[in-house]
Amino acid sequence: MRAKITYLVTAAVLVFYFVLVGSRGVMLIQAGTLLTVTFGVAVLILPVIGLWFLWQNTQFVRKANALATQLDAEGGLPVDELRRTPSGHIDRDSADEVFARRKAETEASPDDWRCWFRLAVAYHDARDTPRARKAMQRAIALHDGKPTRA
């Protein structure tokens, strides 16, 4: 729940920022000189890119949460079997062991979105966020029946 609240607050702050920047871009365009119109258009591009990025991330999180809910209902969510350091951080060797099992599971069933979901969690636990995201995107695509790249 804390992560959802943090995400919503961050998204709200970003939307406020986009509105503020967009209004400045409109003000520059309204000034009417070649220089201010050029800058105004350039300034308006930033909120558009930001809104697109925020929308894409929100859709990704929503779909990943839907997969987690479905997998939980099936009893297939990965169990937290990781050893932790006294400070609470995940033990690297433990994360590597779990990752190796998840990777083998995924290689054995490359078209199963559940395996890709669990692999994404293992990547995340191993602190490999880019690969975790790619694996989760693959799980979402397989779940939705969309074609995936090999």
Side-chain angles (χ1 to χ4, degrees), residues 1-12:
M1 187 62 168
R2 184 177 180 189
K4 286 182 182 181
I5 291 170
T6 301
Y7 187 82
L8 289 174
V9 168
T10 303

Side-chain angles (χ1 to χ4, degrees), residues 2-3 5 13 23 50 60 62 92 100 112 114-115 137 139 143:
R2 184 177 180 189
I5 291 170
V13 169
S23 70
F60 173 77
R62 186 185 60 75
R92 185 74 171 173
D112 186 357
R114 293 161 187 85
C115 294
Q137 288 170 339
H143 179 267

Side-chain angles (χ1 to χ4, degrees), residues 46-111:
L46 296 174
V48 169
I49 292 170
L51 284 170
W52 174 84
F53 184 75
L54 182 61
W55 176 256
Q56 292 296 318
N57 279 301
T58 301
Q59 293 305 308
F60 173 77
V61 169
R62 186 185 60 75
K63 290 176 183 179
N65 284 338
L67 292 186
T69 301
Q70 182 176 343
L71 201 55
D72 186 32
E74 296 173 358
L77 275 180
V79 178
D80 186 1
E81 54 190 312
L82 300 169
R83 292 183 305 276
R84 303 199 184 271
T85 63
S87 64
H89 292 96
I90 294 172
D91 177 64
R92 185 74 171 173
D93 292 334
S94 176
D96 289 345
E97 290 170 17
V98 172
F99 174 78
R101 286 198 315 270
R102 299 293 182 224
K103 185 176 179 191
E105 175 187 68
T106 305
E107 288 171 348
S109 300
D111 294 328

